[in-house]
Amino acid sequence: MSLAVVEQAPGHHEGAEEPDYIRGKSGVMSWVLTLDHKRIALLYLATVTLTFFLGGVFALALRTELLVPENGIMDAMTYNRMFTLHGVTMVFFFMIPAIPGVFGNFFLPIMIGAHDVAFPRLNLASYYLFLAAVCLGVWGMIHGGTDTGWTFYTPYSTTTTTTVLPILAAAFVNGFSSILTGVNFIVTIHTLRADGVHWMRLPLFIWALYGTSVIQVLATPVVGITLALCAVEHFLGTGIFDPARGGDPILFQHLFWFYSHPAVYIMVLPAFGVASEVVGAFTRKPLVGYRMIALSTFGIAFVGFLAWGHHLFTSGQSAVDAGVFGFLSMLIGIFTSIKVFNWVASMYKASIVMTTPFMYALGFFFLTVFGGMTGVALATISLDVHWQDTYFVVAHFHFIMAGAVVLMFLAALHYWFPKMFGKLYAEGPAMVGAVLVILGFIGTFTPQFFLGNEGMPRRYYSYPAHFQWLHVASTIFAYILFLGLLLTLVNLIVALVSGEKAPNNPWGAPQYEWDIPSPPTEHNFPATPVINRDPYEYRGEGIIENAH
């Protein structure tokens, strides 16, 4: 073992037993004004759980309406508002902040041997900006909502009579939260790594957060400006995107997708990071291809900035432009395949421990491979023209993005739950919940591939009667998915209330964070640790010196 540095944690007195971060301070204000990255993570967890529930309710209402070809439980205008609010809520208020906000905040400092993030006050400000965005969005929904779709395409979004401005403002404010979080994470990773944590010893979840943060900082301002211009045009009629006044509606699409395509990776890269941690913990062998997985993260992040044009194949772009955008889009598939290949190689001849987090990871692999293959198909111009704006795109989008984020959010929640709360959950109900969620998800969106291929446009309130059986099948599995989520929620709440006390490392995992107490103390470590091994080695105990 190597050395031990020795820098006393702030507020820690030698020989004193520091309480855990949950019980260390009491009172509402200790949570409202907390600067502890772990408590801020729990604030994020509470908020994104509520937004996920809200977005899920909108989705179930949509699926229930589509049980019949027309005139179900809501009128057409309500339906238009409902799918818009489902998209806005899930994309801006759940999928973008969920994994970085909750698990990034909680584990980034711990995984690099730091006591906190670089800017704790900025971290708290970032959370409150996110909360303000959620409140603004909910206020807009209560006052009527909007019917533009989550993409806010012009010129419709600049002329609609629905309540679009607060929804635009909510997405705009949320962007500031995203940028501040990205800046904080980048500075933390650069400046607060403990001795021994060089770049090639960073856990792959940290690499994923780093790549995500770069995209957040560089791309988010573009969509912020775009949404602000859209709001100004709606309010003042400036004509930037209005062809009747010399504007260009396609310009909006270019600006929107310049952010929103990389934003796909803001959502998916953290999910990839969680997958690496889960595979590294439950295969009981060193992770294969550490460097390739880490570097492919930046391949995805870089090329992701150059592929936005595949969303505009039918907008009249030249054949050369379409060919280049199609090639670049397929290139992303190669970087993703590198990750999948190494995860599968890590499982080859491994002593896999089948747990709930690993079950979610298996579901994630299926959705990623299948969704990725349909993405490659959509990057082929002739196929994309056929499937443009159909349910095929909806199914692809939910497989590769929503499925990946939701499944790996749940995998992360079950994997790190003992460390975060110091409690064990019941494995049986958790596993049943995972199976229901995975089957429900696959069953909900697989019929939509067939619907799209047969020509069913997305976002339509009514449809021909011969499509009904596919919609009914999709809706039945949506309710199975909801049942799985409900069981999962109840099981975790029961664990919080009456679960057994968790040991420091219930999984026997090799990663750094499992060497500290469960739940962690306020300052994570009594002194700055020295980490003297790689994150996925199995070498027994005593990984982090000074941790206990």
Side-chain angles (χ1 to χ4, degrees):
M1 292 294 201
S2 56
L3 60 144
V5 170
V6 192
E7 175 190 329
Q8 200 74 14
H12 178 82
H13 302 288
E14 190 174 357
E17 189 73 22
E18 189 178 10
D20 66 66
Y21 77 100
I22 298 174
R23 298 168 187 81
K25 294 177 182 174
S26 59
V28 174
M29 296 309 292
S30 73
W31 284 91
V32 172
L33 299 178
T34 184
L35 299 181
D36 185 339
H37 65 99
K38 299 178 289 298
R39 285 191 166 204
I40 292 173
L42 296 196
L43 294 176
Y44 269 105
L45 178 60
T47 309
V48 299
T49 300
L50 289 175
T51 57
F52 184 41
F53 174 78
L54 186 61
V57 168
F58 291 145
L60 273 185
L62 290 169
R63 288 308 327 161
T64 305
E65 163 58 34
L66 291 169
L67 278 171
V68 294
E70 53 187 328
N71 299 328
I73 61 170
M74 63 184 79
D75 59 33
M77 176 56 84
T78 304
Y79 176 85
N80 289 345
R81 288 172 168 163
M82 199 64 72
F83 74 66
T84 299
L85 300 181
H86 165 69
V88 168
T89 304
M90 292 300 288
V91 171
F92 293 109
F93 302 145
F94 176 73
M95 290 195 291
I96 287 179
I99 296 178
V102 178
F103 306 107
N105 261 311
F106 200 103
F107 287 102
L108 190 156
I110 294 172
M111 285 176 152
I112 64 173
H115 298 297
D116 207 321
V117 293
F119 307 117
R121 287 180 173 79
L122 197 65
N123 199 19
L124 184 62
S126 179
Y127 167 72
Y128 279 115
L129 280 172
F130 168 61
L131 185 62
V134 171
C135 293
L136 194 54
V138 171
W139 185 87
M141 295 174 196
I142 293 172
H143 286 77
T146 187
D147 60 348
T148 60
W150 74 273
T151 50
F152 303 111
Y153 271 14
T154 58
Y156 185 72
S157 61
T158 60
T159 56
T160 179
T161 56
T162 57
T163 315
V164 68
L165 285 179
I167 308 295
L168 283 170
F172 181 80
V173 172
N174 193 51
F176 279 96
S177 170
S178 189
I179 293 170
L180 295 182
T181 297
V183 169
N184 213 347
F185 282 4
I186 290 172
V187 176
T188 301
I189 294 169
H190 273 273
T191 62
L192 295 184
R193 299 193 312 276
D195 281 359
V197 189
H198 52 71
W199 286 95
M200 285 297 117
R201 273 192 180 160
L202 282 178
L204 288 167
F205 183 59
I206 304 303
W207 277 106
L209 290 176
Y210 190 84
T212 302
S213 299
V214 171
I215 300 173
Q216 285 176 307
V217 171
L218 295 180
T220 308
V222 177
V223 78
I225 293 169
T226 307
L227 296 179
L229 289 173
C230 183
V232 168
E233 178 148 333
H234 183 89
F235 193 65
L236 301 175
T238 49
I240 298 171
F241 303 119
D242 184 358
R245 302 184 183 190
D248 184 358
I250 302 299
L251 174 63
F252 176 89
Q253 295 184 31
H254 278 288
L255 293 172
F256 182 84
W257 286 113
F258 181 79
Y259 161 80
S260 293
H261 190 75
V264 169
Y265 308 111
I266 291 176
M267 304 174 219
V268 170
L269 283 180
F272 288 169
V274 174
S276 296
E277 298 303 321
V278 171
V279 171
F282 296 110
T283 52
R284 297 290 189 266
K285 58 182 279 196
L287 199 65
V288 174
Y290 169 89
R291 287 174 183 266
M292 296 302 290
I293 295 175
L295 295 178
S296 63
T297 297
F298 289 90
I300 293 172
F302 176 72
V303 179
F305 274 105
L306 308 175
W308 81 91
H310 72 225
H311 294 275
L312 289 85
F313 279 158
T314 58
S315 68
Q317 63 184 214
S318 72
V320 173
D321 289 347
V324 170
F325 282 127
F327 170 77
L328 291 170
S329 302
M330 292 182 186
L331 196 56
I332 295 172
I334 294 176
F335 291 119
T336 305
S337 300
I338 290 172
K339 292 181 181 296
V340 174
F341 175 82
N342 284 291
W343 292 328
V344 173
S346 299
M347 289 187 270
Y348 180 64
K349 291 187 175 179
S351 300
I352 294 173
V353 181
M354 184 55 70
T355 59
T356 300
F358 200 81
M359 177 59 74
Y360 278 115
L362 292 180
F364 162 80
F365 295 147
F366 176 82
L367 294 181
T368 299
V369 171
F370 197 88
M373 290 169 62
T374 57
V376 171
L378 282 166
T380 307
I381 302 167
S382 56
L383 293 174
D384 183 86
V385 169
H386 175 65
W387 289 324
Q388 176 78 25
D389 277 338
T390 69
Y391 260 87
F392 192 95
V393 176
V394 175
H396 159 72
F397 178 86
H398 281 83
F399 257 55
I400 196 65
M401 211 166 82
V405 175
V406 170
L407 292 194
M408 294 322 290
F409 175 81
L410 293 172
L413 188 57
H414 285 84
Y415 175 55
W416 281 313
F417 186 90
K419 181 60 61 184
M420 295 172 74
F421 300 103
K423 295 289 186 70
L424 295 175
Y425 55 81
E427 180 68 15
M431 185 66 82
V432 173
V435 171
L436 289 176
V437 167
I438 294 167
L439 290 180
F441 205 94
I442 294 172
T444 299
F445 295 102
T446 298
Q448 297 181 18
F449 282 114
F450 295 105
L451 282 167
N453 195 49
E454 293 185 25
M456 170 85 197
R458 63 177 178 173
R459 297 176 175 174
Y460 269 41
Y461 173 67
S462 58
Y463 56 84
H466 65 273
F467 286 150
Q468 185 174 14
W469 74 274
L470 287 169
H471 276 296
V472 170
S474 179
T475 302
I476 290 172
F477 278 100
Y479 275 92
I480 292 174
L481 170 59
F482 177 75
L483 182 63
L485 291 171
L486 192 62
L487 177 61
T488 299
L489 178 64
V490 171
N491 189 43
L492 293 180
I493 290 175
V494 170
L496 281 177
V497 174
S498 59
E500 293 180 27
K501 179 175 172 48
N504 291 350
N505 190 355
W507 310 123
Q511 287 96 328
Y512 306 146
E513 69 272 22
W514 295 105
D515 267 21
I516 64 173
S518 301
T521 59
E522 181 179 354
H523 298 101
N524 303 334
F525 315 96
T528 303
V530 173
I531 298 177
N532 58 10
R533 66 174 189 88
D534 294 332
Y536 304 102
E537 285 184 12
Y538 276 91
R539 294 200 324 178
E541 299 181 351
I543 297 167
I544 302 178
E545 296 182 13
N546 294 337
H548 301 287

